[in-house]
């Protein structure tokens, strides 16, 4: 059973999948930072200095809260609209990046499929037989 697991674990597809998951997690972190730290601040500034991560509705709780974290610390129930908007934007960026990646891979596959393939070189025996044939033909022609 251990041998079978080892064969499965080191098979190419499993290793490729593991690398993809690790790279995907790192890419997700970069996209989250891009949305939260680069895109949303200027958008919030254009909308009058709004910080999207702090847009929320208090469904149950007392008093005004400045952030969802402050409300959660007080035990309030909130509807975090701004965090949802940030996550939707993150998803759209990741989905677009994956779309571009798949589009590029498909283009490369089409180019490989369209590329003319050279016929395989004949085996050594065939080449040797052709030389013998040509040599016999030359002797008979003299």
């Amino acid at each position: 059973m251990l041998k079978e697991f080892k064969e499965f674990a080191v098979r190419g597809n499993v290793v490729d999948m593991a690398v993809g998951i690790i790279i995907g997690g790192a890419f997700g972190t970069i996209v989250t930072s891009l949305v939260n730290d680069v895109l949303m601040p200027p958008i919030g500034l254009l909308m009058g200095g709004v910080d999207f991560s702090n847009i929320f509705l208090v469904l149950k709780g007392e008093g005004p809260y400045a952030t969802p974290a402050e409300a959660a610390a007080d035990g309030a129930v909130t509807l975090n609209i701004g965090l949802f908007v940030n996550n939707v934007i993150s998803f759209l960026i990741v989905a677009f990046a994956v779309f571009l990646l798949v589009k590029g891979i498909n283009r490369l596959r089409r180019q490989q499929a369209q590329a003319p393939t050279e016929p395989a070189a004949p085996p050594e025996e065939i080449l040797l037989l052709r030389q013998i044939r040509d040599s016999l033909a030359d002797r008979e022609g003299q």
Side-chain angles (χ1 to χ4, degrees):
M1 185 170 188
L2 185 62
K3 181 181 175 185
E4 289 176 329
F5 177 73
K6 181 180 176 184
E7 288 174 8
F8 169 77
V10 296
R11 195 175 297 164
N13 292 341
V14 174
V15 173
D16 291 344
M17 183 180 68
V19 169
I21 290 169
I22 292 168
I23 296 296
F27 184 68
T29 304
I30 291 170
V31 169
T32 300
S33 177
L34 174 70
V35 170
N36 293 338
D37 303 329
V38 177
L39 294 178
M40 296 313 281
I43 292 172
L45 185 63
L46 290 173
M47 295 184 71
V50 176
D51 180 6
F52 276 88
S53 62
N54 289 331
I55 297 176
F56 65 100
L57 295 173
V58 178
L59 299 177
K60 180 181 176 187
E62 297 288 327
Y65 302 106
T67 66
E70 184 182 310
D74 195 34
V77 177
T78 59
L79 187 63
N80 301 323
I81 299 165
L83 293 174
F84 177 74
V85 169
N86 284 353
N87 288 330
V88 167
I89 292 172
S90 294
F91 169 77
L92 292 174
I93 291 171
V94 170
F96 185 69
V98 170
F99 167 75
L100 291 178
L101 179 69
V102 169
K103 184 177 176 180
I105 290 171
N106 287 340
R107 184 173 358 122
L108 289 175
R109 285 185 181 164
R110 280 193 301 269
Q111 288 175 353
Q112 287 177 348
Q114 292 174 353
T117 57
E118 295 181 19
E124 187 79 24
E125 297 88 18
I126 300 294
L127 294 175
L128 189 58
L129 287 171
R130 285 180 184 169
Q131 288 176 349
I132 293 171
R133 179 196 64 199
D134 293 344
S135 174
L136 288 174
D138 287 342
R139 283 187 188 174
E140 288 178 8
Q142 293 179 355

